[in-house]
Amino acid sequence: MKALLTLALSIVAGCGPKPAPPPPATTVLPTDARCPDLAPSPTAVCLQDCGPPVEREGDPEPPYRWATEEDVARREQYGCPRCLDATVQIATPEGERAIASLAIGDLVYTEDAAGQRVVAPILRVNRVGVPETHRVVAVTLQDGRTVRVSAQHPLATGGVVADLVVGSRLSGSVVTGTELVRPTGAATWDILPAGATGHYWANGVVLGSTLRP
């Protein structure tokens, strides 16, 4: 009789309602009043943009945005874009000239929309002071060319200097080394030639311009 009662109770218990499964874990997204909306992922970080290449008195504070962990690591390693080392030589019809010696209206070589080398005047020249902590990337190519340029400076083929690794193709050669070094002097420079691309030759390496709209 006891065994039958136990069996009956177990059958009744098995027919009863099953406990509800626990609710799925909710994803907690970070919030920050400086960044608009919600973060796109749990690991996103509210990061302030670098702003324009040249800061002028009265400029508004650069806005904040949600950044990836990779963005934050790159900013911590390289800082904001600061153009080219003052000693970099720019190709002109009169020969190589230090970028720090160039002025608006000077003629330099650039690429047209078809990738042909043409002469054009400089539309803009920008000088940016750099802090003691700033570093530029010394890029060395297999054919012996070297150029010192900020990590976030645009490449003529897309992307930025920070994307380069040993073995990358650049300006008809192969990258054999990248090293962070202190820039020469207290400022870095950039130019914008007229034309379709804004490209120019720096120490023989074709680069883009941070000043191109």
Side-chain angles (χ1 to χ4, degrees), residues 73-85:
R74 180 175 287 184
R75 175 73 66 80
E76 290 176 348
Q77 182 176 9
Y78 297 116
C80 287
R82 298 286 185 178
C83 314
L84 285 84
D85 193 274

Side-chain angles (χ1 to χ4, degrees), residues 2-108:
K2 185 175 181 181
L4 290 174
L5 181 59
T6 303
L7 178 61
L9 289 174
S10 66
I11 292 174
V12 171
C15 292
K18 295 182 180 180
T26 57
T27 301
V28 179
L29 296 175
T31 59
D32 193 310
R34 298 171 300 178
C35 277
D37 305 320
L38 288 175
S41 73
T43 58
V45 177
C46 189
L47 183 69
Q48 188 175 26
D49 279 335
C50 288
V54 176
E55 297 177 4
R56 296 179 175 86
E57 186 176 354
D59 281 351
E61 283 289 316
Y64 285 79
R65 62 179 175 84
W66 291 110
T68 64
E69 291 178 309
E70 183 181 3
D71 291 334
V72 175
R74 180 175 287 184
R75 175 73 66 80
E76 290 176 348
Q77 182 176 9
Y78 297 116
C80 287
R82 298 286 185 178
C83 314
L84 285 84
D85 193 274
T87 61
V88 168
Q89 301 291 306
I90 303 300
T92 82
E94 299 175 350
E96 302 286 312
R97 289 183 57 185
I99 192 169
S101 71
L102 294 173
I104 292 175
D106 288 346
L107 298 178
V108 297

